[in-house]
Amino acid sequence: MNVAITAQPKRKPSFSDWLKTLTFYELLVGMKATLKHLLNYKPITLQYPHEKRLLPENYRGMLALLRYDDGTEKCVGCDLCEAACPSRVIRVVSGEVPGEPTKRYSKEYYMDMTRCLFCGLCVDACPVDALGMTREFEWAVYDKRQLHLNKQQLLAIGDRAYPVREKRLELQHPNVAFFNVTFKHLPQKEN
Amino acid sequence: MEIGLRLAVSLAQIAAVMGVVMLTVMILTLAERKVLGWMQDRMGPMEVGPYGVLQPIADGLKLFFKEDIIPAGANKFLFTLAPILALVPAMIGFAVIPFGPTMTIELFGMQVKPFVISDINIGILYILAFASIGAYGIILGGWSSNSKYSLLGGLRSAAQVISYELNVGLAIVGVILLSGSLSLVKITEAQAGGFWNWFIIAMPFPQIFAFVVYVISSVAETNRVPFDLPEAESELVAGFFTEYSGMRFAFFFIAEYANMILVSCVAAALFLGGWNAPYPGTILGHLGLDALAWIENVVWFAAKVYFFLFLFFWLRATLPRLRYDQLMRFGWKVMLPIALGNIVLTAIAAYFFPR
């Protein structure tokens, strides 16, 4: 392949080019721009710890576990969040509720927030809306092990971020059959 | 007794000038960050004190209490010597700068010139000589650190200072030809009586080209943007003072700012009439307050110096860094011929139209 590389025809510098070089024209244009910013001084920065940005409506911040209004945990230990998580943040240890064999809950629930990318897939995946995303973002810590959160910590985040809680599902919709809800009139399975 | 008194008065003068220079350095460190911030739509330091005005004190305290590290493998003697070698020449140049009008006052029965520490008849040569010694501080600091970044910064500085020191010297020759003296006091006095007598536009040959060459070369000589290749932070970490910390680092820092003030003072004294007002005499003098006329002169001198210092910040906010070959080509192929041509033309003009 023979491609003739021809030199770009050099434009003969005109008189005005010569004059611009001599008077540092380009330099002066730049100096004018910076001076204009100095004279119409409008800072675009915020003094962060003193003034904070308004977060957008759908802000995805720290994850939290939620409770019903009677204080019971929403989580039913179904592991769907664990399956949905792309970064393997969540680890759920599921178990039966003692005395209520048809009902399950999460014995242990861990989130390794060092890996979380705040995509919100776990929140979407949860069938009982037990996970929520808060608007907290100031989670800088000195030891990264402090970002390995257990169930109590996640519930505490949910408690402070979601003061208004839902009713239990069976109380919301009395005539509908629910996943993971025990009904008192049915015979209990023996352990 | 007589000599002891003379010494005491001189020391007092030196202390006063040093105090003013150090205060200006303090103001400059804050002013640079503020002006740079404003030009880039930021606020600059805001935390320490109202609007961050106490930031220089916080910086000074921090640097003072920082650990002073000498890296393993460094040449200890030269590593210690280099910051001193950078700071002392930058400070010593102020000895010959006239800050105000030439007058003598009677103090304890001897004649004292209050606005210049020592009016030596080779003032400008003295400043150039010590500015060159200041380069040794940078070069030795770079070499003795035993670090490749420092060494590269030091080498760049050596080449840059040699190239641009020459242009500074040649740009000044025109002024010396016109004024017929090397003493900064005499050069300033030769520009009295209105801005049309300032050497930047004075007849018979305006030194405007020399002025531009001087300003550009002095920016290069003080290692400021766009000629900050010795400390190019995006290439060489911090250049020649990469390995320095604590007060030694502060010495280099103060030296850089003191150098800025010094070249600004020299530019004001040589080209912009020094302490002379841009109109004949002084307003206070015309009003009959001759005893207070020096205030006006000193204010004019400060205004000119601060204009140059602002120019340094302004250039820093605007311009990107030059590449090394561009720097060298600009110095030797553009600035040097202009400076030489200026000398020839000024000499011819001064011969045919003597002042």
Side-chain angles (χ1 to χ4, degrees):
Chain A
M1 227 170 105
N2 284 321
V3 179
I5 299 165
T6 49
Q8 202 77 21
K10 214 171 185 179
R11 198 166 63 86
K12 201 168 173 250
S14 66
F15 178 72
S16 73
D17 288 344
W18 181 77
L19 208 65
K20 278 181 181 177
T21 314
L22 200 70
T23 54
F24 297 108
Y25 176 76
E26 271 85 9
L27 235 128
L28 292 176
V29 170
M31 303 268 280
K32 195 183 134 206
T34 39
L35 191 69
K36 216 158 72 186
H37 278 264
L38 179 72
L39 296 178
N40 322 321
Y41 162 61
K42 272 190 220 76
I44 55 166
T45 47
L46 288 176
Q47 295 294 300
Y48 163 62
H50 310 303
E51 44 181 343
K52 283 175 184 167
R53 264 184 91 154
L54 207 63
L55 294 176
E57 199 59 30
N58 55 352
Y59 186 78
R60 299 203 297 254
M62 192 66 188
L63 283 160
L65 279 174
L66 307 182
R67 294 179 201 266
Y68 289 115
D69 60 348
D70 59 354
T72 51
E73 297 153 20
K74 277 183 168 181
C75 183
V76 295
C78 66
D79 279 8
L80 282 177
C81 46
E82 190 174 334
C85 184
S87 321
R88 298 173 63 187
V89 170
I90 304 171
R91 190 160 67 86
V92 185
V93 179
S94 183
E96 285 180 4
V97 178
E100 289 180 280
T102 56
K103 207 174 164 182
R104 294 182 75 78
Y105 79 118
S106 56
K107 266 192 214 155
E108 291 164 38
Y109 195 102
Y110 295 106
M111 276 196 184
D112 184 1
M113 295 312 289
T114 57
R115 291 209 293 261
C116 184
L117 50 91
F118 301 97
C119 60
L121 286 180
C122 50
V123 179
D124 286 348
C126 186
V128 290
D129 292 341
L131 277 167
M133 297 199 102
T134 66
R135 297 165 77 79
E136 287 179 21
F137 56 92
E138 287 161 324
W139 266 83
V141 290
Y142 283 103
D143 186 350
K144 74 176 182 179
R145 277 168 289 197
Q146 289 172 18
L147 287 171
H148 200 100
L149 303 177
N150 63 22
K151 193 175 167 185
Q152 277 68 41
Q153 286 165 311
L154 287 163
L155 281 167
I157 297 166
D159 288 345
R160 66 166 179 260
Y162 287 89
V164 181
R165 294 174 181 162
E166 278 186 321
K167 280 182 178 169
R168 291 192 71 89
L169 285 176
E170 59 268 38
L171 300 172
Q172 286 177 20
H173 311 283
N175 294 327
V176 185
F178 281 106
F179 167 66
N180 203 56
V181 171
T182 43
F183 294 98
K184 293 284 184 283
H185 59 277
L186 291 177
Q188 298 283 315
K189 189 178 146 193
E190 278 176 35
N191 269 334
Chain B
M1 185 60 214
E2 167 69 27
I3 197 150
L5 208 60
R6 170 73 60 186
L7 199 67
V9 170
S10 282
L11 279 176
Q13 262 186 317
I14 290 167
V17 171
M18 280 276 282
V20 170
V21 170
M22 280 310 209
L23 195 71
T24 316
V25 167
M26 256 173 79
I27 295 168
L28 281 188
T29 55
L30 178 70
E32 167 153 46
R33 294 169 69 179
K34 276 290 189 188
V35 170
L36 221 60
W38 292 337
M39 283 183 171
Q40 296 165 352
D41 290 340
R42 297 185 285 112
M43 293 181 188
M46 291 287 282
E47 283 300 309
V48 192
Y51 292 93
V53 289
L54 300 178
Q55 188 67 40
I57 296 167
D59 286 344
L61 281 177
K62 188 197 85 172
L63 284 172
F64 192 76
F65 288 114
K66 279 262 174 174
E67 188 186 355
D68 186 19
I69 300 164
I70 297 180
N75 186 324
K76 216 169 170 180
F77 174 68
L78 288 179
F79 192 81
T80 316
L81 184 70
I84 302 166
L85 217 50
L87 181 62
V88 169
M91 286 297 192
I92 221 165
F94 290 99
V96 294
I97 303 277
F99 297 96
T102 318
M103 57 189 205
T104 47
I105 51 170
E106 193 83 8
L107 205 65
F108 307 121
M110 45 182 188
Q111 304 291 320
V112 176
K113 287 181 180 170
F115 294 114
V116 57
I117 294 176
S118 115
D119 174 18
I120 58 176
N121 55 5
I122 51 158
I124 191 67
L125 206 60
Y126 165 88
I127 287 179
L128 287 179
F130 273 106
S132 306
I133 289 180
Y136 276 100
I138 293 171
I139 296 162
L140 288 179
W143 179 79
S144 64
S145 295
N146 191 30
S147 151
K148 48 183 170 286
Y149 299 117
S150 301
L151 183 60
L152 278 171
L155 289 176
R156 282 182 178 193
S157 172
Q160 185 174 323
V161 167
I162 289 168
S163 313
Y164 281 85
E165 189 74 41
L166 189 65
N167 297 335
V168 168
L170 291 177
I172 286 169
V173 171
V175 172
I176 296 166
L177 277 170
L178 289 180
S179 69
S181 172
L182 283 166
S183 156
L184 277 167
V185 175
K186 291 226 173 60
I187 291 172
T188 312
E189 276 173 351
Q191 304 175 68
F195 68 90
W196 51 88
N197 282 339
W198 294 358
F199 281 136
I200 184 172
I201 50 170
M203 285 295 129
F205 192 76
Q207 296 295 309
I208 178 81
F209 292 107
F211 175 70
V212 172
V213 168
Y214 177 82
V215 170
I216 294 174
S217 301
S218 60
V219 173
E221 214 197 321
T222 48
N223 300 329
R224 300 279 305 173
V225 180
F227 303 105
D228 62 335
L229 288 129
E231 47 177 290
E233 64 262 18
S234 47
E235 303 163 31
L236 299 179
V237 190
F240 57 89
F241 52 67
T242 305
E243 304 293 338
Y244 280 91
S245 60
M247 273 321 272
R248 291 180 216 270
F249 169 78
F251 268 38
F252 275 122
F253 204 70
I254 295 167
E256 184 184 326
Y257 282 86
N259 263 323
M260 274 167 66
I261 301 169
L262 185 63
V263 295
S264 302
C265 285
V266 172
L270 290 181
F271 295 100
L272 294 185
W275 41 263
N276 289 306
Y279 36 83
T282 54
I283 289 175
L284 287 171
H286 295 316
L287 290 175
L289 299 163
D290 275 319
L292 295 175
W294 60 272
I295 297 175
E296 200 173 325
N297 291 131
V298 170
V299 167
W300 272 112
F301 186 77
K304 286 163 189 172
V305 170
Y306 271 86
F307 165 73
F308 279 108
L309 294 172
F310 177 73
L311 189 72
F312 276 106
F313 303 155
W314 195 3
L315 286 170
R316 178 167 175 190
T318 309
L319 298 176
R321 189 181 308 125
L322 262 70
R323 217 171 52 220
Y324 207 75
D325 58 323
Q326 291 170 337
L327 175 95
M328 281 297 156
R329 197 169 56 219
F330 189 63
W332 289 100
K333 288 191 175 174
V334 180
M335 309 287 272
L336 189 65
I338 292 175
L340 284 172
N342 177 68
I343 292 174
V344 172
L345 292 177
T346 310
I348 293 170
Y351 180 76
F352 285 111
F353 306 99
R355 282 161 66 86

